[in-house]
Amino acid sequence: MAGKHVLVLGCGSGPTLVDLVDCGATPVGIDGSPALIDIARERLGPDVDLRVADLADPLPFDDDVFDDVVSSLALHYLEDWTSPLAEMRRVLKPGGRVVLSVEHPFAMWLAARQVGTKTNYFATRSRHESDIAGESVDLTFWDRSLSTMLQSFLAAGFRITHVGEPGP
Ligand SMILES: C[S@@+](CC[C@H](N)C(=O)[O-])C[C@H]1O[C@@H](n2cnc3c(N)ncnc32)[C@H](O)[C@@H]1O
């Protein structure tokens, strides 16, 4: 990664940014939470470009400027992936890569079924969380099937070279 210019979407408090800096990359972090960007700033110091922005909006960068785009566990908060994926493609240099993770779509469907909620796996559907590990939260996730995710990337003009998943 040394020398790479990498955009981290939904960077949160910055763990991936720290790893990228350690590898010699030049990361840029975007997150919708000013509080998390403040924590990232404390961890990374003044030299890393960190911005508060909504991933649903156009990205504040020129075309063809990043070698890679990384996004860990953030895209599943967005209902519509059309513009965000088009924007990722726009800011990537030709041949650039997207590396991302999302919650496992089938795990979410199974969890809903276990608490008696009937959901259509193939629908893009919202899921509200108000309690995570005893903490009161107000989170809306947008779940969708694996095929919907992959088709979204293909429709945006990406070539998919790897799909991995952890064991259950
Ligand atoms: C589960 S956290 C992951 C954070 C970080 N990528 C990590 O791996 O630690 C999801 C992040 O996505 C951000 N996020 C969610 N929706 C967003 C949106 N519409 N625009 C920008 N950031 C968003 C949240 O603020 C949060 O930092």
Side-chain angles (χ1 to χ4, degrees):
M1 296 304 294
K4 299 262 189 188
H5 193 206
V6 184
L7 177 61
V8 181
L9 297 176
C11 63
S13 62
T16 308
L17 296 165
V18 171
D19 287 344
L20 286 164
V21 168
D22 288 348
C23 290
T26 306
V28 176
I30 281 194
D31 201 275
S33 162
L36 288 173
I37 287 290
D38 284 348
I39 297 171
R41 172 68 63 212
E42 276 176 33
R43 296 172 89 168
L44 289 145
D47 295 337
V48 175
D49 186 351
L50 300 173
R51 306 187 192 195
V52 177
D54 191 329
L55 299 182
D57 293 337
L59 293 170
F61 304 105
D62 291 339
D63 299 356
D64 303 343
V65 287
F66 291 101
D67 295 294
D68 297 313
V69 171
V70 177
S71 183
S72 161
L73 298 173
L75 275 191
H76 51 229
Y77 295 102
L78 301 180
E79 177 180 8
D80 188 349
W81 285 11
T82 312
S83 167
L85 297 195
E87 282 293 286
M88 286 185 205
R89 187 140 191 258
R90 181 183 67 76
V91 301
L92 275 170
K93 295 175 185 171
R97 305 174 300 176
V98 175
V99 181
L100 79 135
S101 62
V102 290
E103 289 185 336
H104 195 295
F106 219 79
M108 295 306 123
W109 182 83
L110 276 174
R113 200 173 68 160
Q114 276 165 356
V115 296
T117 307
K118 285 204 170 134
T119 51
N120 175 0
Y121 174 72
F122 290 105
T124 297
R125 61 216 184 266
S126 63
R127 174 170 50 89
H128 190 70
E129 297 278 353
S130 56
D131 182 305
I132 293 185
E135 289 282 330
S136 176
V137 297
D138 182 14
L139 287 176
T140 301
F141 297 79
W142 283 94
D143 295 334
R144 70 206 74 205
S145 69
L146 180 62
S147 53
T148 299
M149 293 183 199
L150 300 182
Q151 290 297 342
S152 300
F153 274 88
L154 294 173
F158 287 100
R159 187 165 56 95
I160 297 169
T161 57
H162 181 74
V163 178
E165 57 185 339

